[in-house]
Amino acid sequence: DQQVKQNSPSLSVQEGRISILNCDYTNSMFDYFLWYKKYPAEGPTFLISISSIKDKNEDGRFTVFLNKSAKHLSLHIVPSQPGDSAVYFCAASVAGTASKLTFGTGTRLQVTL
Amino acid sequence: NAGVTQTPKFQVLKTGQSMTLQCAQDMNHNSMYWYRQDPGMGLRLIYYSASEGTTDKGEVPNGYNVSRLNKREFSLRLESAAPSQTSVYFCASTHEAGFNSPLHFGNGTRLTVT
């Protein structure tokens, strides 16, 4: 049972436009959500996170939105740059569970010139 | 500052062979993790060590054993490799488990079992 779902395996966006990556979850106990970025042949790197007590967190060009009632979060990248081309993983954890993350299957973002 | 270092980067095993994947971190983190990544499956937790001297099973522990050798090192052992263990393995660490601090990942070990 996939508790964290990223239903779009891939996304192509033009440079300068907005990229929106989506993530849905089923476990209502999740209370902390993260996005990781992964380049080929490298490990995932932390991008941005959000606690369930918030509905938005912003860091430069990256903003994460959380809709708890819909069990949905999204990552917005504005403006998109070619260096943003990577696989993006959504992840979630339950408080007090030793930082054990449940990951989605990833969305491959390609930013074209 | 190396962060999380995994060795080897690549490995090919025959079914039934054994091997140990090594992981070391130099960030003085307390908690360490082993994940595997398979196509269409995301990353799945195999084992973790919340602190030195403790280890616990994750989502997919069957066929693996771990050792938290000291605060820096956390190894993953396959006693009798199977083709189903063909995967990319990632080691990760974080300062303190349960405090919502992000995981720092190594660059992975790509393992093929024939």
Side-chain angles (χ1 to χ4, degrees), chain B residues 63-76:
Chain B
Y64 305 95
N65 286 302
V66 291
S67 295
R68 184 73 184 268
L69 304 170
N70 48 55
K71 189 171 184 179
R72 289 187 63 246
E73 298 172 288
F74 188 38
S75 62
L76 179 72

Side-chain angles (χ1 to χ4, degrees), chain A residues 26-88:
Chain A
T26 58
N27 188 344
S28 58
M29 299 295 290
F30 286 145
D31 67 345
Y32 191 64
F33 304 89
L34 308 91
W35 285 93
Y36 281 82
K37 176 179 177 179
K38 185 183 180 304
Y39 292 118
E42 295 184 9
T45 56
F46 170 71
L47 192 57
I48 192 168
S49 63
I50 187 166
S51 164
S52 60
I53 63 173
K54 295 185 175 182
D55 55 17
K56 177 182 174 181
N57 189 26
E58 193 171 353
D59 183 0
R61 297 186 297 115
F62 302 92
T63 303
V64 56
F65 295 92
L66 175 63
N67 182 335
K68 289 186 292 293
S69 61
K71 293 190 177 69
H72 176 83
L73 64 155
S74 61
L75 174 68
H76 292 209
I77 306 173
V78 184
S80 301
Q81 299 174 354
D84 296 330
S85 297
V87 177
Y88 290 78

Side-chain angles (χ1 to χ4, degrees), chain B residues 10-52:
Chain B
F10 302 94
Q11 184 72 49
V12 179
L13 292 178
K14 294 187 188 312
T15 298
Q17 288 185 317
S18 62
M19 80 160 294
T20 300
L21 281 65
Q22 308 286 355
C23 175
Q25 52 89 10
D26 62 2
M27 296 174 284
N28 200 34
H29 285 169
N30 290 308
S31 305
M32 298 184 73
Y33 306 77
W34 277 104
Y35 283 85
R36 59 178 288 175
Q37 184 192 6
D38 301 293
M41 299 291 290
L43 286 84
R44 293 180 294 167
L45 182 64
I46 305 171
Y47 269 94
Y48 68 99
S49 170
S51 61
E52 188 178 354

